[in-house]
Amino acid sequence: MHIIPFSAVTTVTNMTRDFAFAVLDVTVGYGADPDTVTEALRDVGKEVRAEPKWNALIRDDIDVFGVEKLADSGLLIRARVKTEPSARWSVGREFNRRIIQCFE
């Protein structure tokens, strides 16, 4: 544990003042084609942004970075969505819900 006296704090930076990112980690089996998964994630992004409720909270198209990790359970594909500062969690949950539906 580190104890910092408040009087020692000279600068505070709010890293989510203007926007935030909902980070999406999607694990798929080793038999999945990463390019197909990437396209599916982009399609989900277009679908979500087409709805006025979510479009107001999402600032940009989904960024799919690709394979982040070769995990025990499969390929971990990372993506992110730029959101309004307070919307990162709700947007992330909605993307996760729709990704599950898409992959079924």
Side-chain angles (χ1 to χ4, degrees):
M1 178 181 348
H2 299 279
I3 298 173
I4 302 170
F6 189 71
S7 61
V9 177
T10 59
T11 304
V12 176
T13 303
N14 184 347
M15 300 299 286
T16 60
R17 187 177 123 207
D18 297 325
F19 63 88
F21 286 109
V23 177
L24 307 166
D25 285 335
V26 179
T27 303
V28 296
Y30 278 105
D33 176 24
D35 294 334
T36 302
V37 174
T38 296
E39 283 307 310
L41 292 174
R42 287 189 177 130
D43 290 345
V44 168
K46 289 174 190 171
E47 175 187 312
V48 174
R49 284 197 80 193
E51 296 180 17
K53 172 186 177 180
W54 297 108
N55 190 34
L57 301 175
I58 298 170
R59 292 195 173 190
D60 208 350
D61 291 335
I62 187 172
D63 292 322
V64 182
F65 299 122
V67 178
E68 178 72 18
K69 184 177 177 183
L70 304 175
D72 292 339
S73 57
L75 305 172
L76 183 110
I77 297 178
R78 179 161 289 168
R80 74 177 182 185
V81 181
K82 191 173 187 179
T83 71
E84 292 296 316
S86 62
R88 129 176 86 176
W89 305 116
S90 60
V91 168
R93 284 190 294 273
E94 181 63 16
F95 264 85
N96 286 334
R97 185 180 75 79
R98 293 193 191 213
I99 290 166
I100 289 169
Q101 291 175 341
C102 175
F103 286 2
E104 285 179 348

